[in-house]
Amino acid sequence: MTKKDIVRTISEEVGLTQQQTKEIVQKTFDAIVDCLVRDQRIELRNFGVFEVKPRAARKARNPRTGQQVDVPSKHVVTFKPGKFMEARVRELDQCAAQKAAEATAGDDNRPEPNVHPDAAPNASAGRPTGRWDDLSDPQ
């Protein structure tokens, strides 16, 4: 989702023009950044806490050359989600687990996968290779 998508969604729900909503959203983001720079912490109840924390200098390695590189200390923004956000995100895990349970309950009726003709025999140690005939969702 982009800022434009957020603006569109809010403008439809609130009944403001997209231009008005865009200004409000941008001013909100600007206020968050200004607060982080000034106070180094902003707490938004039911959402989370943004905080500026120092990161110590360290030694790193350039992955291309393998050469050791000094990385200077710097400030980084961290985010810790609030209880409400964590609960909503946790619902994703519960929904995924429920769908997985429903899918495995219906696996007895699924056809055996087609084995690719070029596959080496016993290449998968007893596991089927290839593609399923029907990958459609049973719902």
Side-chain angles (χ1 to χ4, degrees):
M1 178 173 260
T2 65
K3 183 167 56 171
K4 188 174 186 177
D5 296 330
I6 292 170
V7 167
R8 186 179 308 119
T9 302
I10 293 172
S11 71
E12 289 171 0
E13 289 181 17
V14 177
L16 296 174
T17 66
Q18 286 191 18
Q19 184 61 37
Q20 292 169 321
T21 306
K22 181 181 176 184
E23 290 176 22
I24 293 169
V25 169
Q26 187 59 53
K27 288 196 181 290
T28 303
F29 291 157
D30 292 344
I32 290 171
V33 172
D34 291 343
C35 184
L36 283 172
V37 169
R38 186 180 62 247
D39 301 329
Q40 298 192 354
R41 179 182 166 90
I42 184 168
E43 183 175 337
L44 304 170
R45 299 287 167 142
N46 294 326
F47 186 76
V49 177
F50 292 95
E51 195 169 15
V52 176
K53 293 185 178 182
R55 181 172 287 165
R58 60 188 174 89
K59 301 232 184 251
R61 189 169 302 278
N62 182 330
R64 284 195 179 150
T65 64
Q67 184 179 22
Q68 195 169 23
V69 179
D70 290 328
V71 177
S73 63
K74 61 181 177 179
H75 288 86
V76 294
V77 177
T78 61
F79 177 74
K80 182 179 178 193
K83 290 180 182 179
F84 179 74
M85 182 184 292
E86 282 188 340
R88 292 287 308 269
V89 171
R90 205 172 301 120
E91 289 175 8
L92 292 173
D93 293 335
Q94 293 169 352
C95 288
Q98 184 178 4
K99 285 183 180 181
E102 291 171 1
T104 55
D107 274 352
D108 296 338
N109 299 331
R110 290 195 173 219
E112 287 296 315
N114 288 333
V115 177
H116 193 276
D118 296 335
N122 299 327
S124 60
R127 284 182 266 154
T129 59
R131 298 184 175 141
W132 289 95
D133 284 333
D134 181 18
L135 289 178
S136 62
D137 195 321
Q139 293 179 349

